[in-house]
Amino acid sequence: MSAHCQLTGAQPGFGNSISHSHRRTSRRFDPNIQRKRYWLPSEGRYVRLTLSARGVKTVDRIGIEAAVARVRAQGGKV
């Protein structure tokens, strides 16, 4: 599973770990990705979305129908 949110588009950021001696090594900052299952009443089925924690809150706020419409408008498969 890639670290990518279907709704918000959140994906890993990259940077450096800096040690005590100030040596830099590459690292990545992954978003908090969860797989959530929602009931989609208009289609009478469950849909499984890969969402960041912020994406889950967005679905709670706007509703699953609007969220699925947004994912499909971005070209995502649901």
Side-chain angles (χ1 to χ4, degrees):
M1 174 174 72
S2 67
H4 177 262
C5 177
Q6 289 180 296
L7 185 61
T8 63
Q11 55 192 3
F14 295 89
N16 290 309
S17 290
I18 302 179
S19 70
H20 181 70
S21 64
H22 221 63
R23 290 177 62 99
R24 289 173 167 86
T25 55
S26 197
R27 64 158 295 180
R28 69 188 245 169
F29 298 88
D30 286 329
N32 184 4
I33 297 294
Q34 310 293 325
R35 282 181 62 96
K36 290 276 291 177
R37 197 174 80 138
Y38 291 99
W39 174 252
L40 192 59
S42 64
E43 297 181 16
R45 68 183 182 102
Y46 285 98
V47 293
R48 192 178 298 273
L49 297 175
T50 305
L51 300 170
S52 62
R54 189 177 66 191
V56 172
K57 293 173 189 173
T58 302
V59 170
D60 291 344
R61 193 177 73 246
I62 67 174
I64 186 61
E65 298 287 347
V68 167
R70 256 190 220 182
V71 170
R72 286 183 174 150
Q74 294 169 0
K77 183 181 175 193
V78 178

